[in-house]
Amino acid sequence: MVQQNIKVAVDAVVFGYKEKTLKVLLIKRKVAPFIDSWALPGGLVLEDESLEEAVERELKEETNVKVDYLEQLYSFGKPKRDPRNRVISVAYFCLVKPERHHIKADTDAKDVAWFDMQDLPELAFDHEHIIEAATKRLQSKLTYEPIGFDLLANKFLFSDLEKLYTTILQKPIDRRNFRKKILSFKILEELEEKVSEGRGRPANLFKFNKKQYFKLQEEGFLFDIK
Amino acid sequence: MVQQNIKVAVDAVVFGYKEKTLKVLLIKRKVAPFIDSWALPGGLVLEDESLEEAVERELKEETNVKVDYLEQLYSFGKPKRDPRNRVISVAYFCLVKPERHHIKADTDAKDVAWFDMQDLPELAFDHEHIIEAATKRLQSKLTYEPIGFDLLANKFLFSDLEKLYTTILQKPIDRRNFRKKILSFKILEELEEKVSEGRGRPANLFKFNKKQYFKLQEEGFLFDIK
DNA sequence: ACAAAAGTGTTCGGGTTACACCCATGG
DNA sequence: CCATGGGTGTAACCCGAACACTTTTGT
């Protein structure tokens, strides 16, 4: 048997929703190759940690972020994707609530920043490709799982939720039908608090009731927004 | 940086549909660990091949099978999943048409066999877990992509298709509604040939028109069987 | 009083569901 | 002529789509 010398890395596509736009978290690389390029946070997996632990560790080390949602996206393994050694990267799909948007370039990165998805810089490796896959995952998941709530603050306005859907899916939504549909799921709590956004009628705050969602899910309920 | 010594493998969950039951392709291991256990076909990735190439090569070497459909399933990377070294396995999801069911234990396996999904043996590593994930993928894909046709012969009876759906999804289907729905998609060609299965009225043969499906897909058509 | 955003109901049409009888063949 | 599996139509219902005006507040 030929001795195998392939390295295993993880990379994280971390989405955040801020100022009514979708953002992705990038770091500025401190080491070759692609030194000074923007790239996804990530790095080699250690001997004794799971893949998920590796992602969480790298995110902590490089960006100081702790994500609210994390799932495996896809593994990228073309022989030449890293110009030096062969590296297989297991990419993860992550979501962060605004409360946790505070980032900090830590020991392992020169800089960290949220980039608007409409305005990404040149990226290292095949990271552009990975972000593309993550975006598709985000768009499709948004329609059949309540992951939008992992991008919003705990208390949010209905109009925030609606704007998030139109922004990410890039198509208009009928406000009345949308509200009717979501409310019919009975997974939101309407709070007493109201918020006035400067002008216009003050709006009600809502909260996602995750426990209730899990309960309904057990009973066969399927979240589905077309 | 600590030197990393993780190996990268691929494993294939190959489904076949035979004798009106769903089967999975397994090999009997020739080497430790788990010598003589049944396991998924697979093995270490070579330095200069892509992950997909690795799967196809291993399938050829171990079982002599060439699959009709292949996509990445998930990467399994818990530290202790292989008792000896750390091995990350990128699992693939594969479908084979009956014409290609002829298998042959080749150089790298002691034996190869199709196992009924209802009657699996004890499996090596975490392969039972991998098969479980593949089964879920199969069930969900069956409802929103026309992958059932990659499990049937090129020419098939409507009742075969129906039986395949009821078998895999494990729930009854209304024959009339199912036929109406599928035919409404206009992705099947009804052939002139009829087949008499011993008793009963002879049935029409159908063929899946893949080209037509791709064309409709471009136009925004979504295959969907609930 | 005006601008801005929030909140709300009804109608229509298409698609999904439920449902049962006749047909063609072999034994 | 009987058993077996193949093939077919219609009516009820539900859900999604389309659509516009009123309410509440700040300026």
Side-chain angles (χ1 to χ4, degrees), chain A residues 167-184:
Chain A
T167 303
I168 295 176
L169 300 180
Q170 303 202 100
K171 62 180 182 188
I173 286 182
D174 180 281
R175 185 154 37 113
R176 285 168 288 189
N177 292 338
F178 182 73
R179 188 183 180 105
K180 222 183 308 172
K181 187 75 174 287
I182 300 265
L183 288 179
S184 75

Side-chain angles (χ1 to χ4, degrees), chain B residues 166-179:
Chain B
T166 55
T167 303
I168 295 176
L169 299 181
Q170 303 202 100
K171 63 180 183 189
I173 286 181
D174 180 282
R175 186 155 37 115
R176 284 169 289 191
N177 294 338
F178 181 74
R179 188 184 181 106

Side-chain angles (χ1 to χ4, degrees), chain B residues 14 31 48-49 52 57 63 75 124 129 144 158 169 175 201-202 214 222:
Chain B
V14 182
V31 294
D48 58 354
E49 68 185 351
E52 292 202 1
R57 176 182 52 73
T63 69
S75 297
H129 185 196
Y144 65 86
F158 225 102
L169 299 181
R175 186 155 37 115
R201 177 176 173 174
F214 286 138
L222 290 178

Side-chain angles (χ1 to χ4, degrees), chain B residues 8 31 45 66 82 109-110 176 183 201 204 213 219-220:
Chain B
V8 178
V31 294
V45 175
K66 193 171 175 327
D82 187 313
K110 260 193 184 162
R176 284 169 289 191
L183 288 178
R201 177 176 173 174
N204 251 291
Y213 168 67
E219 298 166 6

